[in-house]
Amino acid sequence: MRVLVTGGAGYIGSHTTLALLEQGHDVLVVDDLSNSSRESLARVAELTGRTADFVEANVRDANALESAFASFRPDAVIHFAGWKAVGESTQVPLTYYRENVGSTLTLLETMARHDCHTIVFSSSATVYGELSEPPFTEDAPTGATNPYGRTKHMVEQILADVAAADDQLRVGVLRYFNPIGAHESGRIGEDPKGIPNNLLPFVAQVAAGRREKLMVFGDDYPTPDGTGTRDYIHVVDLAAGHLAALDFLTEHDGYHVWNLGTGRPNSVLEVVNAFGEAAGMEIPYQIVARRPGDVASSYADVSRAHAELGWQAHKSVADACADTFRWQSANPNGYAQD
C-alpha cells in the first residue's frame, strides 16, 4: 500500500512510519518540521533499510499537498500533523483551530480530488472531557475542556459528516491516551522543541541534566496520591494500532472510532518513580498549581480495539521508562547533536 503520512517526522509519526516500512508499505511523509526533525526519518531508514519519501510542507499548503498527491498517488493517509499542547492551546486558540482544523479541510479536499478514500486520524482522549467517568468507551459523551481537545473533536465531526456524504470514504479515528516510550534501539524517540508539554520527555530531560526539576501540576485531585492519573501507552504499541486500523479499513467502509490505550491508569508520581527506577536515580520534582484544561483521571476501555482490530497494548510503563531512558541517554540533546 502507498501511504501518505502527515506529521510523519514527529514522535508518533516516525514510529508509525518505521512500522509501515517494516511491513513493506511505501511511505511519503509530509511535515513542516515545526516540532520535528528530518533526522528522525534518516534514523528510520537506518533501522529499516528502507527510505520514506519526504516533502517539507505544512498540510495547509494546498499547492504543496496537491503536488505530493499527484506524484505519490497514495492509497491511504494517516493524519498526524497538528499542534498538540493542552496548556498552549488555551493561550493561542486561533492557532490551534487554524492548524488542526484547517489542515484537515485541505487534506480532505485534496484526497477527494485524487480518489484517495482511506484516512486514519490521530485523535485524542481529550475529546471525552469531564462528561463521563473513566474508563471511557468510544460511545461515552464527548465534551473537550480545552481548545486542543475541541479541535480534535471538531475534526472527528467533520470526518463523520464527510463519511456520511461519501459512501466510498473509509475513516478510522484513533483516540489515543498518553503516548510514552521510544523505539527499543534508542535511535528514535520524543524530541520536543522548547519546554516539553508531556510528562515523560520532561522527566527524561531532568534525568539527563537538561532541566533542574519536574513541575507536577497539582496534587489535590481526587486520585490515590493526589496527582492526575492517565492511561500511558507505549508509542510502539500505538504505532501498531495505526497499522491495525489501516488493515481493518481495507475491508470496511464508513466511519469508525477506536480507543488506543492500556486500560490501566497510572498517576504522575507513579510514572516519575518508575522512571527513577529505570534510570537508577531520584527524579527531583516540585508540586505547582493545576494546569488549565487538565482533568483528574483519564483511561480507556479498549475492548472495541481488541475485538475489531485484534489489537492490544503489550508494553508496560516500566518498558516505556527504560526505552525513554535509553533514548535520552544516547541522545542527551535529542536529534540536535547529530
Side-chain angles (χ1 to χ4, degrees):
M1 186 182 296
R2 301 174 65 80
V3 185
L4 188 149
V5 182
T6 74
Y11 173 44
I12 304 169
S14 61
H15 286 82
T16 303
T17 295
L18 184 149
L20 287 165
L21 291 171
E22 285 183 331
Q23 279 206 357
H25 299 289
D26 295 321
V27 180
L28 169 64
V29 169
V30 178
D31 196 309
D32 66 2
L33 304 181
S34 60
N35 192 34
S36 58
S37 172
R38 182 75 183 269
E39 175 64 19
S40 67
L41 297 179
R43 296 190 184 188
V44 165
E46 165 198 310
L47 291 167
T48 63
R50 302 185 63 218
T51 301
D53 294 335
F54 178 73
V55 172
E56 183 176 347
N58 188 298
V59 181
R60 292 190 298 110
D61 184 337
N63 290 333
L65 206 59
E66 177 70 23
S67 177
F69 269 77
S71 60
F72 186 68
R73 302 186 307 279
D75 302 304
V77 171
I78 301 180
H79 183 28
F80 292 107
W83 288 40
K84 63 176 187 177
V86 169
E88 182 185 56
S89 77
T90 66
Q91 300 166 351
V92 288
L94 285 177
T95 299
Y96 273 71
Y97 284 105
R98 180 177 62 249
E99 294 292 336
N100 295 358
V101 179
S103 67
T104 306
L105 295 175
T106 302
L107 179 61
L108 288 170
E109 289 166 347
T110 309
M111 287 176 62
R113 285 195 298 273
H114 291 271
D115 295 321
C116 180
H117 304 295
T118 301
I119 181 170
V120 175
F121 172 58
S122 164
S123 192
S124 167
T126 56
V127 301
Y128 292 118
E130 297 179 312
L131 296 183
S132 58
E133 293 295 321
F136 299 121
T137 69
E138 291 84 352
D139 297 322
T142 51
T145 60
N146 55 73
Y148 163 71
R150 282 190 279 271
T151 66
K152 291 294 189 181
H153 190 215
M154 188 173 293
V155 170
E156 287 190 10
Q157 293 174 309
I158 292 168
L159 289 167
D161 288 342
V162 175
D166 180 359
D167 59 11
Q168 293 187 83
L169 195 62
R170 301 176 174 195
V171 177
V173 170
L174 303 181
R175 292 175 178 167
Y176 352 127
F177 281 68
N178 290 68
I180 58 174
H183 191 265
E184 62 183 5
S185 67
R187 294 295 288 157
I188 61 171
E190 188 167 10
D191 182 28
K193 295 183 179 179
I195 299 173
N197 291 294
N198 297 325
L199 175 61
L200 213 57
F202 204 118
V203 173
Q205 290 186 11
V206 171
R210 289 176 61 181
R211 303 194 182 276
E212 179 185 359
K213 58 188 173 183
L214 170 72
M215 301 299 175
V216 176
F217 298 103
D219 66 348
D220 58 348
Y221 286 105
T223 61
D225 63 18
T227 63
T229 63
R230 297 291 184 269
D231 188 334
Y232 294 97
I233 176 175
H234 198 294
V235 67
V236 171
D237 284 331
L238 189 58
H242 291 77
L243 272 65
L246 266 185
D247 288 344
F248 179 92
L249 293 175
T250 61
E251 298 181 357
H252 298 84
D253 296 332
Y255 177 83
H256 309 271
V257 180
W258 299 285
N259 288 334
L260 295 186
T262 66
R264 299 181 298 275
N266 290 94
S267 74
V268 171
L269 292 184
E270 285 175 335
V271 174
V272 170
N273 292 333
F275 194 93
E277 290 182 12
M281 63 182 293
E282 186 172 334
I283 306 296
Y285 66 86
Q286 177 184 347
I287 304 295
V288 297
R290 294 185 183 189
R291 186 168 53 182
D294 278 350
V295 297
S297 184
S298 175
Y299 59 100
D301 179 321
V302 292
S303 55
R304 180 183 293 181
H306 182 60
E308 295 183 356
L309 303 181
W311 173 92
Q312 62 183 347
H314 296 286
K315 294 180 177 288
S316 66
V317 166
D319 294 330
C321 289
D323 291 338
T324 300
F325 183 62
R326 185 180 303 110
W327 150 255
Q328 193 69 65
S329 298
N331 305 272
N333 296 310
Y335 294 115
Q337 64 184 20
D338 290 346

